[in-house]
């Protein structure tokens, strides 16, 4: 179990894990609200904006955006990230000469910052069942699932010597891949013991399309195809019926409350997931905010709003476990020597209890990220502030992509 302890004038907790991230989206922070103001705000209009931004990415800009995003995560106590990486090819869909150059850029960004990364290589085949591919989606797509798996083989080989780099597969969602691709992903991950992630039941339209294509809801389809396992992570798991939570069973659900809030996705029934034994982890997803402690407390606090009571589906200890050990397990990472050191004299922590579950509650529900003084990955201190070069490269990438 994850523990919080006092050490002199500090409070030390295990390194936090963000199990779901799209790092380049950090460049869009604060820039997606005009549509909502104009009365055209929805998940899908947000996605249109994000696609136009993604259309301009190149190896340099994705590196610059990701590095700043990971630096900010480290600043806020994150020592490992699961990066759900779906921009693979050139804008017209032609692979780069080096097919994995964009994935490698994102991995290098995390390692330059000093945090661990699990690159969850996305599988993307189509715009949806019976839906033509949108031009901006071309660079996400592989013609054959075997090409995508060969890319993962190549990446695993390139980073075989780096303990802080791991891999997994991520069929984007049941709307973006046919069933054969789900099976191929399952077999590859079973063979190599890798994590398998997918966006699941984030939007109601996804449920409707899955029912129309398969006559099943997404979790029912995943269960019938043997996708669910202790290595499977259902990202979002927002719109589930009780039997679907039970079907998830010993899989993970990765909640991304600050993004789900931003997008108006809805609220998952956290108590239902916990009752079904589903293991929880969290992710910053779109980087609308990058505050790992806020991500954790939002799981419980949003549940109280949804359930209209001080329900306590998860106390500070359970939330910290979700943000540390369970997050690491969900992305197949180690966490030895990963620690976050807070200033016990920070205003947000004054008056916190001495020890035990009450101290953990005080940190998880009350600590400001500002209190973080040091972050260690595998015992090594990580620099918490971006360099001038990192800021300038980030600004240049945002300027280029929003021209
Ligand atoms: Zn996502």
């Amino acid at each position: 179990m994850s523990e919080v302890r006092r050490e002199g004038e500090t409070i030390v907790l295990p390194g936090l894990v963000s199990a779901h991230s799209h790092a380049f989206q950090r460049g869009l922070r604060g820039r997606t609200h005009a549509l909502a103001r104009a009365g055209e705000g929805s998940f899908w209009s947000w996605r249109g904006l994000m696609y136009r931004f993604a259309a301009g990415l190149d190896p340099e800009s994705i590196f610059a955006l990701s590095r700043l995003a990971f630096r900010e995560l480290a600043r806020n106590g994150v020592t490992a990230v699961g990066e759900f990486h779906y921009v693979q090819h050139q804008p017209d869909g032609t692979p780069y000469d080096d097919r994995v150059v964009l994935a490698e850029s994102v991995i290098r960004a995390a390692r330059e910052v000093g945090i661990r990364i699990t690159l969850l290589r996305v599988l993307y085949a189509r715009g949806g069942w019976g839906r033509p591919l949108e031009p901006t989606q071309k660079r996400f797509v592989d013609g054959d699932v075997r090409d995508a798996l060969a890319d993962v083989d190549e990446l695993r080989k390139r980073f075989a010597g780096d303990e802080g780099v791991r891999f997994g597969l991520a069929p984007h969602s049941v709307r973006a891949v046919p069933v054969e691709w789900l099976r191929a992903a399952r077999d590859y991950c079973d063979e190599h013991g890798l994590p398998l992630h997918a966006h699941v039941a984030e939007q109601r339209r996804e449920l409707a399309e899955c029912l129309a294509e398969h006559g099943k809801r997404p979790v029912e389809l995943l269960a019938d195809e043997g996708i669910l396992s202790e290595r499977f992570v259902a990202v979002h798991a927002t719109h589930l019926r009780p039997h679907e939570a039970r079907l998830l069973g010993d899989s993970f659900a990765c909640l991304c409350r600050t993004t789900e809030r931003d997008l108006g996705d809805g609220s998952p029934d956290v108590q239902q997931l916990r009752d079904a034994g589903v293991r929880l982890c969290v992710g910053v997803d779109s980087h609308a905010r990058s505050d790992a402690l806020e991500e954790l407390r939002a799981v419980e606090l949003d549940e109280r709003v949804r359930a209209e009571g001080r329900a306590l589906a998860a106390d500070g200890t359970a939330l910290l476990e979700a943000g540390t050990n369970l997050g690491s397990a969900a992305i197949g990472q180690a966490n030895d020597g990963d620690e976050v050191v807070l200033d016990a004299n920070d205003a947000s922590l004054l008056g916190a209890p001495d020890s035990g579950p009450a101290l953990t509650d005080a940190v998880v529900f009350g600590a400001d990220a500002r209190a973080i003084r040091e972050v260690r990955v595998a015992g090594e201190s990580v620099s918490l502030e971006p360099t001038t070069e990192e800021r300038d490269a980030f600004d240049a990438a945002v300027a280029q992509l929003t021209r």
Side-chain angles (χ1 to χ4, degrees):
M1 208 28 111
S2 303
E3 279 194 354
V4 175
R5 67 178 193 276
R6 284 186 183 270
E7 243 180 55
E9 300 294 300
T10 67
I11 296 172
V12 182
L13 48 145
L16 300 170
V17 178
S18 178
H20 187 71
S21 154
H22 311 284
F24 78 83
Q25 292 180 12
R26 174 63 185 80
L28 274 173
R29 181 182 295 172
R31 290 174 173 267
T32 61
H33 301 276
L35 281 174
R37 190 159 51 237
E40 293 161 24
S42 72
F43 172 85
W44 306 101
S45 67
W46 170 86
R47 193 183 74 159
L49 273 180
M50 183 271 288
Y51 278 1
R52 284 203 289 285
F53 188 81
L57 288 168
D58 58 28
E60 290 73 35
S61 55
I62 203 170
F63 174 80
L65 296 173
S66 302
R67 187 175 54 172
L68 196 288
F70 295 144
R71 185 71 69 197
E72 187 184 11
L73 284 181
R75 171 71 192 81
N76 291 334
V78 171
T79 52
V81 67
E83 178 67 18
F84 200 99
H85 173 75
Y86 61 91
V87 186
Q88 321 290 356
H89 307 304
Q90 297 182 63
D92 68 354
T94 310
Y96 287 95
D97 290 341
D98 175 2
R99 279 185 55 96
V100 297
V101 65
L102 292 180
E104 186 177 310
S105 298
V106 175
I107 295 168
R108 279 197 299 109
R111 299 308 283 152
E112 188 171 314
V113 166
I115 63 171
R116 303 177 196 264
I117 183 169
T118 296
L119 196 287
L120 301 155
R121 207 289 193 178
V122 169
L123 308 179
Y124 210 104
R126 59 186 196 180
W129 181 54
R131 259 177 215 278
L133 203 59
E134 295 172 31
T136 44
Q137 291 173 324
K138 283 184 183 162
R139 63 188 319 190
F140 311 159
V141 170
D142 293 291
D144 190 313
V145 69
R146 285 170 296 192
D147 295 337
L149 300 181
D151 287 351
V152 181
D153 286 338
E154 171 62 23
L155 285 163
R156 290 170 64 217
K157 217 180 302 163
R158 270 188 212 184
F159 289 94
D162 188 341
E163 259 299 292
V165 179
R166 308 274 172 100
F167 294 93
L169 284 183
H172 179 276
S173 53
V174 295
R175 74 170 186 271
V177 291
V179 146
E180 299 73 39
W181 286 44
L182 289 175
R183 293 174 188 149
R186 173 200 64 198
D187 292 347
Y188 187 92
C189 288
D190 283 350
E191 184 185 343
H192 301 288
L194 302 181
L196 178 60
H197 290 220
H199 292 126
V200 176
E202 178 180 12
Q203 286 289 321
R204 293 186 190 277
R205 190 174 106 186
E206 176 193 329
L207 303 181
E209 289 183 12
C210 189
L211 277 166
E213 181 179 9
H214 301 287
K216 301 170 190 175
R217 295 166 63 86
V219 173
E220 294 169 343
L221 174 68
L222 295 168
D224 288 350
E225 295 299 331
I227 306 295
L228 307 179
S229 79
E230 73 284 353
R231 278 182 289 98
F232 180 74
V233 180
V235 180
H236 302 303
T238 308
H239 302 287
L240 299 190
R241 293 193 174 148
H243 75 283
E244 292 178 286
R246 288 194 295 273
L247 282 174
L248 279 181
D250 56 6
S251 303
F252 292 91
C254 182
L255 309 188
C256 306
R257 293 309 301 155
T258 63
T259 291
E260 291 154 4
R261 211 185 248 182
D262 178 58
L263 297 177
D265 282 345
S267 290
D269 186 330
V270 177
Q271 190 65 57
Q272 174 178 285
L273 288 166
R274 300 261 302 161
D275 288 347
V278 177
R279 290 169 295 166
L280 300 184
C281 57
V282 298
V284 294
D285 194 358
S286 71
H287 296 249
R289 295 275 292 120
S290 297
D291 185 334
L293 286 170
E294 169 64 12
E295 207 64 62
L296 280 183
R297 69 180 68 110
V299 169
E300 166 64 18
L301 298 180
D302 288 3
E303 175 69 359
R304 293 184 189 177
V305 174
R306 191 194 65 79
E308 296 183 42
R310 246 170 153 243
L312 209 64
D315 66 1
T317 303
L319 292 171
L320 190 65
E321 184 70 4
T324 56
N325 291 329
L326 294 178
S328 297
I331 62 171
Q333 277 283 359
N335 57 6
D336 302 333
D338 295 3
E339 287 186 320
V340 180
V341 182
L342 298 103
D343 176 3
N345 294 317
D346 183 83
S348 66
L349 285 166
L350 289 178
D354 284 339
S355 61
L359 174 61
T360 304
D361 285 344
V363 170
V364 171
F365 289 107
D368 196 290
R370 178 192 61 211
I372 294 172
R373 287 290 174 273
E374 188 182 0
V375 173
R376 300 184 198 117
V377 178
E380 297 278 320
S381 216
V382 174
S383 173
L384 299 184
E385 298 302 331
T387 63
T388 305
E389 192 265 322
E390 287 175 8
R391 288 177 203 274
D392 289 349
F394 174 80
D395 284 343
V398 172
Q400 174 202 325
L401 293 163
T402 55
R403 254 203 308 258

